[in-house]
Amino acid sequence: MSKNEEVKNGVIFPIGDKNTAYAQYFVGQSYLNSLVADPEVNIGVGNVTFEPGCRNNWHIHHDGYQILLVTGGEGWYQEDGKPAQSLKPGAVIVTHDGVKHWHGAAKDSWFEHIAITAGTPEWLEPVADALYEGLHQ
């Protein structure tokens, strides 16, 4: 049994549907509940839920940024060239324009965050299994 199983039922917002639109940029299963997708607002807000072991590929936000508000479970965030940071509920991450990074669940835990995103993402390579498997909470 995985840690933080209650996250799969949604912590604050429902987890949403399987994230099929972005599945090619993830290792494992994620879920997306778009909270703000208004074409007149240049910021997207989504509740993203990760099954244990799920993480997104390295990516960069161009002409924008991303703010992550961790609401449940345990996960990781890493910027290129820096050590990975353990994430737990209440953590806030600000990723500036042009910074290569990834985020996702711990190997043994569900994980959920609100992602506030502006700009255009450039999706890159998956996080190397050896890097991910070497992380410890």
Side-chain angles (χ1 to χ4, degrees):
M1 185 165 168
S2 302
K3 293 192 301 188
N4 301 296
E5 290 264 338
E6 70 280 1
V7 171
K8 69 182 173 185
N9 297 318
V11 177
I12 297 170
F13 300 99
I15 72 167
D17 297 324
K18 287 186 176 183
N19 190 3
T20 56
Y22 293 91
Q24 64 187 333
Y25 307 120
F26 283 73
V27 171
Q29 184 62 60
S30 67
Y31 303 83
L32 177 62
N33 178 0
S34 291
L35 303 175
V36 177
D38 183 332
E40 295 182 26
V41 176
N42 193 25
I43 296 174
V45 180
N47 184 49
V48 185
T49 306
F50 301 77
E51 289 186 358
C54 178
R55 70 261 188 200
N56 55 31
N57 289 4
W58 288 98
H59 58 287
I60 298 169
H61 298 279
H62 294 286
D63 300 317
Y65 55 84
Q66 186 171 59
I67 299 168
L68 305 177
L69 308 174
V70 179
T71 56
E74 297 176 18
W76 293 100
Y77 170 84
Q78 185 174 20
E79 292 181 0
D80 192 30
K82 295 183 179 179
Q85 299 176 46
S86 174
L87 299 179
K88 294 190 175 163
V92 176
I93 296 291
V94 178
T95 305
H96 295 274
D97 182 40
V99 175
K100 183 178 176 181
H101 67 288
W102 69 272
H103 35 103
K107 292 179 283 234
D108 61 348
S109 178
W110 283 78
F111 178 63
E112 189 170 78
H113 63 55
I114 304 294
I116 302 165
T117 309
T120 304
E122 176 187 0
W123 291 99
L124 304 167
E125 73 278 5
V127 174
D129 288 340
L131 184 156
Y132 183 78
E133 293 299 326
L135 299 174
H136 301 285
Q137 291 282 356

